[in-house]
Amino acid sequence: MDAFPAAPSSTVRPVCVPDKTDALDHVVRQGLVKAFITYQEPKNNRIFVSFSSPTWFQKKTLMDNFKRTIHEAQIENRFDPDAIQWEKISQAFMRNPDRTLKNADKRMGFQFNNMFIVKSFFTFGLRKVEPGTIHLIQTTNVPVLIYELPPSSRRSQAEPNLYRRSFEPYDQMLYHRTVMEPHTSYPIPAGTQYILMTVQKTVFALDVLPETILTTLLQNGFRLGDFRKAKHYHQKAYKLPPPTPAHTPVEERPASGKRPFAKNYLEVPSRYKKIRIAPATRRIQRPPTASPPAPVKLFSLSIPSYPLFIMGDERLLPPPVFWAQRKNLLYVKVQLEDCQNPTIKVDKDKIYFKGKGGTEKKDHEVTLELFKEIKPDESKYAVRDRATEFVLIKAEEEFWKRLLKEDKKFHWLKVDFNKWKDEDDSEDEVEGTDFEEMMRKMGGANEGGDLNYDEDVVDSDDEELPDLE
């Protein structure tokens, strides 16, 4: 089957990412959202989709997958367009979607009218815009890649695969890649052959429209862009302090890389002139007449309990943090692998963590200013090989609006949907983690000792998928 729009649309609906993950729950319950898995035909390398059952939302694993995709589509992650290889993506598409595979739902996507909620490396395959029509692609918070097959490549000796829906991994060199910027609409003109591909979890819209509707789109305030001009995409840098000392950008430096000559070639530049230093003189003054000493004022110096570690004049990056809550406690996980002997301090209103780990063995540091107070004496934490886990007892038994005191989104802070429980959920409706049992097994792990229990938390991505139609 095919998820691509089969017939031209009569209207265009603007697309945006919902602020809350449960904003589309009522639409899902009505059966208006379709779930599918992308796979590739081995013979002609064509892309197909296999739709799930109309009642897919009744399975908690798939519903969590849907909410997690919307949540992670709100923040743009770093990516390298040159590092994307079609060969590896094609090998993942070749796996049989009917088999029970671990992490098979990484290829799962969702469709609601003209809106597609998909994950990284999703594609429709090769598409051609028919005469008299355009394909309107609307991006949201994340850029999308588009590969155009130019006429010169169609006449080359390589003979590209021109089957509809085809995704030939060895034809990547024949395509011209451009980047579609976020929050922009791109009309693809008639006669264009292209392949659309996502780089992370994102939400976008695609409509097949007549060419005469372009004027109407401009009048309605659509921001239209030319996809052939965006050869490179300048990603937003993370909020890091400026370099010290300040340096001159490469674009503003002289072309030769040498210092410029002075106006008079026989004159030495000012920075190299000899400077005459006047000899130091010593003056002797008589001491002033004795006067009563002035009163000395004593000032109390407040030393912060959380020092700021700076390496190379740059602040340390925070590690990924996941959290969930119950009415009486919090669960916080610092996702930093192979972290040996970290510095941890738990107070009633904040948590401090600093350690070295991860694949690149870099130092990370984070201070969590909590939304409300906790009980440090009754709270526990444990340092494990893959992460450091905290079970924090709340000072007052109530559900918090958020984890941190500051009402702001951070790219490193995410919700742990596997352990999350809403205030209106009962104990029978939510399969929660027994945090009291976890704290009992932690014992005296607050001194940084190793735990002696197995990790039995199963990721929702590892569960079995429902039968596909």
Side-chain angles (χ1 to χ4, degrees):
M1 301 181 70
D2 192 4
F4 196 85
S9 303
S10 57
T11 58
V12 180
R13 299 182 179 91
V15 64
C16 62
V17 180
D19 294 335
K20 299 182 179 180
T21 57
D22 55 352
L24 298 178
D25 279 2
H26 65 287
V27 180
V28 175
R29 302 295 179 184
Q30 296 176 3
L32 301 179
V33 179
K34 301 178 182 179
F36 59 86
I37 294 180
T38 307
Y39 69 96
Q40 188 172 6
E41 182 187 34
K43 183 177 180 181
N44 295 324
N45 291 330
R46 295 188 298 176
I47 298 295
F48 289 87
V49 297
S50 179
F51 286 97
S52 300
S53 172
T55 59
W56 62 269
F57 53 85
Q58 297 179 357
K59 187 172 179 59
K60 183 178 181 297
T61 304
L62 300 184
M63 198 63 184
D64 290 344
N65 195 321
F66 175 73
K67 293 182 178 180
R68 188 168 58 253
T69 304
I70 295 179
H71 177 72
E72 297 184 10
Q74 299 176 359
I75 302 175
E76 174 188 337
N77 298 330
R78 285 188 171 272
F79 71 98
D80 184 8
D82 297 329
I84 296 178
Q85 299 180 6
W86 287 12
E87 185 176 0
K88 293 184 179 180
I89 300 174
S90 178
Q91 292 176 359
F93 285 157
M94 288 290 185
R95 296 177 182 176
N96 189 350
D98 295 333
R99 294 176 55 190
T100 304
L101 296 174
K102 184 179 181 180
N103 294 334
D105 61 349
K106 287 185 176 181
R107 295 180 288 166
M108 176 162 286
F110 306 91
Q111 180 182 5
F112 173 52
N113 293 332
N114 66 331
M115 185 169 61
F116 294 87
I117 307 169
V118 295
K119 303 184 180 180
S120 58
F121 308 132
F122 168 78
T123 180
F124 295 107
L126 180 63
R127 299 291 171 169
K128 181 180 180 181
V129 185
E130 299 298 332
T133 61
I134 60 171
H135 292 179
L136 183 66
I137 302 175
Q138 302 179 54
T139 60
T140 54
N141 299 9
V142 179
V144 180
L145 298 182
I146 182 171
Y147 295 82
E148 181 186 7
L149 184 63
S152 58
S153 298
R154 305 173 200 171
R155 299 187 298 267
S156 63
Q157 298 180 356
E159 296 181 359
N161 188 350
L162 299 179
Y163 278 103
R164 184 171 176 266
R165 309 182 187 180
S166 64
F167 183 69
E168 181 63 46
Y170 301 104
D171 289 350
Q172 184 176 2
M173 66 184 69
L174 302 178
Y175 285 77
H176 291 174
R177 186 207 69 225
T178 53
V179 183
M180 294 182 172
E181 297 183 353
H183 302 291
T184 311
S185 302
Y186 291 90
I188 311 300
T192 306
Q193 296 186 9
Y194 68 97
I195 293 179
L196 192 71
M197 182 172 295
T198 60
V199 294
Q200 71 163 79
K201 296 178 181 179
T202 182
V203 178
F204 71 93
L206 193 149
D207 293 277
V208 179
L209 304 170
E211 291 181 340
T212 56
I213 205 172
L214 284 176
T215 306
T216 306
L217 294 178
L218 292 174
Q219 295 175 354
N220 292 337
F222 275 79
R223 178 187 173 188
L224 301 181
D226 188 356
F227 72 96
R228 293 188 175 96
K229 293 184 179 180
K231 299 295 182 183
H232 302 281
Y233 176 64
H234 301 285
Q235 304 181 50
K236 295 182 180 178
Y238 288 94
K239 295 182 179 179
L240 298 177
T244 305
H247 65 280
T248 305
V250 179
E251 296 80 2
E252 300 178 6
R253 298 177 186 174
S256 60
K258 301 180 181 180
R259 60 180 178 84
F261 290 103
K263 296 181 179 179
N264 185 2
Y265 301 108
L266 300 178
E267 180 184 358
V268 180
S270 59
R271 59 181 294 187
Y272 298 105
K273 285 184 178 180
K274 293 183 180 180
I275 302 175
R276 182 180 179 277
I277 301 176
T281 58
R282 183 180 180 183
R283 297 181 180 180
I284 301 176
Q285 297 180 355
R286 294 181 180 181
T289 58
S291 58
V296 180
K297 295 182 179 180
L298 299 179
F299 297 91
S300 60
L301 300 178
S302 59
I303 303 177
S305 59
Y306 293 90
L308 177 62
F309 291 87
I310 300 180
M311 297 182 60
D313 293 339
E314 293 185 359
R315 296 181 183 176
L316 301 182
L317 294 177
V321 178
F322 297 83
W323 79 288
Q325 69 170 327
R326 296 294 185 270
K327 187 176 182 180
N328 60 332
L329 53 83
L330 297 169
Y331 171 76
V332 180
K333 180 173 68 174
V334 180
Q335 192 73 31
L336 187 62
E337 300 180 356
D338 300 331
C339 182
Q340 302 294 335
N341 300 324
T343 303
I344 300 175
K345 188 172 182 180
V346 180
D347 285 347
K348 63 179 181 179
D349 58 347
K350 64 179 67 175
I351 302 174
Y352 175 77
F353 178 90
K354 180 180 181 294
K356 184 176 183 180
T359 57
E360 300 181 359
K361 299 298 180 182
K362 291 185 177 181
D363 290 327
H364 295 74
E365 180 187 33
V366 66
T367 300
L368 303 178
E369 300 283 349
L370 299 178
F371 180 69
K372 292 187 178 182
E373 294 185 357
I374 60 173
K375 298 179 180 179
D377 299 336
E378 302 180 12
S379 302
K380 301 288 184 180
Y381 69 84
V383 181
R384 310 184 61 187
D385 294 338
R386 297 180 59 185
T388 300
E389 297 181 347
F390 295 80
V391 177
L392 309 174
I393 305 301
K394 298 180 180 178
E396 298 180 0
E397 294 189 1
E398 60 177 342
F399 279 87
W400 292 6
K401 297 180 180 180
R402 55 185 180 272
L403 177 64
L404 302 182
K405 181 182 297 184
E406 186 177 2
D407 189 5
K408 180 181 177 182
K409 291 184 179 180
F410 298 92
H411 66 89
W412 46 266
L413 180 61
K414 299 181 181 179
V415 175
D416 194 339
F417 289 99
N418 295 325
K419 299 180 179 60
W420 184 262
K421 178 182 177 182
D422 294 331
E423 185 175 0
D424 53 353
D425 292 337
S426 62
E427 294 294 338
D428 298 336
E429 295 177 353
V430 179
E431 299 177 2
T433 305
D434 191 354
F435 293 105
E436 289 77 8
E437 181 67 16
M438 181 183 294
M439 293 183 64
R440 187 186 64 81
K441 292 180 179 179
M442 284 184 178
N446 281 7
E447 289 77 21
D450 296 335
L451 299 178
N452 54 3
Y453 68 97
D454 297 332
E455 182 178 0
D456 54 356
V457 180
V458 180
D459 192 354
S460 62
D461 287 351
D462 297 338
E463 297 184 12
E464 297 182 0
L465 296 176
D467 297 334
L468 304 175
E469 294 182 348

